[in-house]
Amino acid sequence: MIRLYNTKTRSKVDFESLTRGKVGMYVCGPTVYNYIHIGNARTFMSFDIVRRYLLWRGFDVTFVQNVTDVDDKIINKANEEGRSASEVAAEYTEAFIADMRAAGVMDPDIRPKATEEIPEMIELIEELIESGHAYAVEGDVYFNVRSYAAYGELSGRNVDEMESGHRELRADGAGLEDRKRDPLDFAVWKAAKPGEPSWASPWGEGRPGWHIECSAMSRKYLGLPFDIHGGGADLVFPHHENERAQSEAACGCTFANYWMHGGMLQVNSEKMSKSLGNFKLLRDVLETVDADTLRFLMLQTHYRSPLDFSDERLAEAGAALGRIRNAVKNLDWLVENAADAPSPLDLRALMERTREAKMAFILAMDDDFNTCKALGAVFDFIAEVNAQTAGKTISLSDVPPVRDARELIVGLMGVFGIEVATAGDADTAGADYPAEVVALAADIAGFDGSDAALAVGALLDARADARASKDWARADAVRDGLGALGFVIEDTPQGARVAFEG
């Protein structure tokens, strides 16, 4: 049974989808006025992993993520740059999609844009007015917060305390307080201003408020109620609180059964901000590190906990990921070099540990998608497999269980959207090797090529020749040179093999 932390109840609860075997998920997407930063990316990667795990567990998942392509920030950006809001939104929508794909995030099943769903928003606003939960004032429409008795339940706030002690939680627009019946009421429709995009409505030309967009789009594409609503912790209030209020006020039903929110991201233990000079765009980070390493870093912290991002932690993540890839390469090597000889392995123990490792992974992920604990299960399994196979040549009869162990490692990491099976791929072999290994091979082995993987092979051949001729100085020079670059040589009955540990 999957258990997840429900923000509304502030507790872990059993997850039961509305329809057996199916899950409807809505995760709030970006407001497209700039490139996304790594804090945004963490949220989207977290829910990508939740989605991938649910799919792996056999659920038919419908994943909806909107694009907010009309908003004050977009309009301000357009005015600054002397172009239309639609041009700004189009540019950054395309950039967002490209960045998500570069980060290994799956495309949503449905990606509605706010500007293409205006009729649905107007329909929802009309329902709110008719039921007494919203009112029109001079072209604006406001949601009547006090008409919805459960307002504040999601975020754990008290309406009266908001009014008396949290004036910052009142309306966004300056000078509009006197137009509202209550300072806490929020806009679901904004009257048009000169030069801004607008649409015809029963209340005159205008555009939707931010909160109404997701209510209308989730209702249209998933129906109400749906299973999981997700986003960053910064969206709990006011965005998700307001979404829930207007949606449930209109339909008289539950909006979403489970609310999930991801933790924030810091850079070097400080809040990320432009003023501190530590503001990092996702696309800039991906120019310095591969997506798998970035995803691995994200996995090492539970999705609800704050994540500290740093170059040091990225390097550690890369090294840890390298150990997993080396383990897979070692198993591939064992299978390829299996001999017609008695088995040196405890096959019963290996097969049992393979079953146990998969179950440990499932139990960790079933416990509120605990990726850090699930990674621990993978590393524990790799350590035990390595202990059984190190320095051995496996029998042909060992190949099926060893291959099963290898496939489990690859499959579990695939649940996280991380590829670890690079062995034997001519296009990727040696891709992570340092360029200095080519120069080392040229110096010691007379290598005249430029391919790092071939350079390593040349060095191993040179070492084998040196050992055969008892030229220990040259053999040691190969070993020490490769070791200084992060390579580890293991001698086996079939010859030397090398692992790069960075």
Side-chain angles (χ1 to χ4, degrees):
M1 168 66 74
I2 294 174
R3 289 174 60 79
L4 56 80
Y5 185 88
N6 188 354
T7 303
K8 181 175 177 293
T9 62
R10 284 166 279 286
S11 63
K12 287 184 187 178
V13 296
D14 292 344
F15 173 69
E16 296 183 12
S17 60
L18 287 159
T19 302
R20 184 178 179 84
K22 296 180 181 293
V23 175
M25 287 184 69
Y26 188 97
V27 174
C28 289
T31 299
V32 284
Y33 69 98
N34 205 340
Y35 302 115
I36 66 167
H37 55 69
I38 55 173
N40 306 136
R42 189 208 177 179
T43 295
F44 300 137
M45 286 182 175
S46 294
F47 284 102
D48 179 63
I49 289 167
V50 171
R51 178 191 184 187
R52 286 174 182 269
Y53 182 68
L54 292 173
L55 288 167
W56 185 72
R57 293 282 266 125
F59 287 96
D60 179 5
V61 180
T62 300
F63 190 94
V64 182
Q65 184 177 66
N66 70 297
V67 171
T68 296
D69 58 347
V70 57
D71 182 82
D72 291 339
K73 294 177 180 178
I74 297 171
I75 294 168
N76 292 339
K77 180 88 167 184
N79 291 337
E80 291 171 4
E81 299 181 353
R83 52 181 176 151
S84 69
S86 62
E87 289 173 328
V88 170
E91 175 187 344
Y92 290 110
T93 297
E94 183 178 335
F96 168 72
I97 294 171
D99 287 351
M100 287 291 92
R101 290 174 178 170
V105 174
M106 297 169 62
D107 285 347
D109 297 303
I110 305 168
R111 199 195 312 266
K113 297 178 181 178
T115 56
E116 297 174 359
E117 308 292 338
I118 301 297
E120 287 75 15
M121 298 176 203
I122 290 174
E123 179 183 354
L124 178 54
I125 293 169
E126 288 179 319
E127 293 174 20
L128 289 169
I129 292 175
E130 290 171 6
S131 60
H133 291 291
Y135 55 92
V137 182
E138 300 177 21
D140 291 335
V141 181
Y142 296 97
F143 181 79
N144 181 352
V145 166
R146 292 185 185 276
S147 73
Y148 176 68
Y151 192 85
E153 285 184 358
L154 178 63
S155 58
R157 285 168 161 81
N158 179 284
V159 171
D160 293 325
E161 290 177 358
M162 290 183 210
E163 182 177 17
S164 61
H166 296 279
R167 294 193 61 84
E168 73 277 10
L169 302 182
R170 295 181 175 182
D172 295 331
L176 299 179
E177 295 290 342
D178 58 344
R179 303 173 68 178
K180 299 189 295 183
R181 297 175 183 172
D182 188 293
L184 292 178
D185 295 348
F186 58 88
V188 293
W189 187 262
K190 299 179 178 181
K193 296 178 182 177
E196 292 187 354
S198 63
W199 290 262
S201 80
W203 318 285
E205 288 285 321
R207 59 185 174 90
W210 177 36
H211 311 302
I212 201 70
E213 298 174 9
C214 292
S215 289
M217 290 185 275
S218 57
R219 180 170 82 161
K220 177 179 178 179
Y221 292 106
L222 292 174
L224 300 185
F226 58 92
D227 293 303
I228 299 173
H229 197 319
D234 56 325
L235 296 185
V236 176
F237 188 90
H239 185 48
H240 286 171
E241 190 73 73
N242 291 352
E243 266 191 73
R244 175 175 179 259
Q246 63 202 8
S247 296
E248 296 191 356
C251 74
C253 65
T254 298
F255 178 41
N257 280 352
Y258 304 92
W259 292 85
M260 296 178 63
H261 293 93
M264 297 293 97
L265 181 143
Q266 296 179 317
V267 176
N268 296 316
S269 302
E270 293 182 313
K271 181 179 179 180
M272 184 173 62
S273 69
K274 292 180 180 178
S275 63
L276 291 175
N278 63 0
F279 190 82
K280 295 182 180 291
L281 298 177
L282 173 62
R283 56 179 43 204
D284 292 341
V285 171
L286 290 177
E287 287 182 358
T288 65
V289 69
D290 64 277
D292 284 345
T293 298
L294 180 59
R295 291 177 74 90
F296 197 94
L297 171 63
M298 303 289 185
L299 293 170
Q300 292 176 310
T301 301
H302 190 275
Y303 79 92
R304 284 191 289 112
S305 299
L307 185 149
D308 188 36
F309 179 95
S310 68
D311 291 339
E312 291 76 14
R313 290 204 64 200
L314 266 180
E316 292 168 1
L321 179 56
R323 290 195 292 274
I324 296 177
R325 286 179 169 155
N326 282 335
V328 173
K329 289 178 182 178
N330 288 340
L331 293 177
D332 285 335
W333 191 92
L334 287 171
V335 169
E336 291 167 4
N337 291 275
D340 186 7
S343 171
L345 306 181
D346 184 341
L347 292 183
R348 179 174 295 179
L350 177 60
M351 291 186 287
E352 182 63 24
R353 278 302 299 128
T354 301
R355 288 190 293 269
E356 291 173 353
K358 182 176 182 180
M359 183 54 63
F361 180 90
I362 290 172
L363 289 175
M365 290 297 288
D366 278 0
D367 184 15
D368 195 28
F369 308 99
N370 193 333
T371 56
C372 38
K373 189 174 182 180
L375 274 179
V378 173
F379 275 110
D380 288 345
F381 180 57
I382 287 173
E384 291 168 359
V385 172
N386 286 344
Q388 269 232 44
T389 60
K392 297 175 182 176
T393 299
I394 68 171
S395 167
L396 292 174
S397 62
D398 297 332
V399 168
V402 170
R403 185 180 287 127
D404 287 345
R406 182 258 193 206
E407 290 304 312
L408 180 66
I409 297 168
V410 172
L412 296 184
M413 294 306 296
V415 174
F416 296 142
I418 293 177
E419 177 60 63
V420 296
T422 57
D425 186 338
D427 293 329
T428 59
D432 296 332
Y433 292 175
E436 292 86 348
V437 77
V438 174
L440 180 68
D443 181 43
I444 297 178
F447 180 69
D448 60 0
S450 60
D451 183 273
L454 294 178
V456 170
L459 285 165
L460 292 180
D461 289 343
R463 179 173 178 267
D465 291 342
R467 285 162 63 92
S469 61
K470 297 185 179 182
D471 184 353
W472 306 121
R474 188 170 183 237
D476 290 347
V478 172
R479 182 199 63 202
D480 295 343
L482 284 173
L485 295 176
F487 293 89
V488 176
I489 298 175
E490 179 184 357
D491 291 306
T492 77
Q494 284 71 41
R497 58 178 175 173
V498 66
F500 179 61
E501 298 185 352

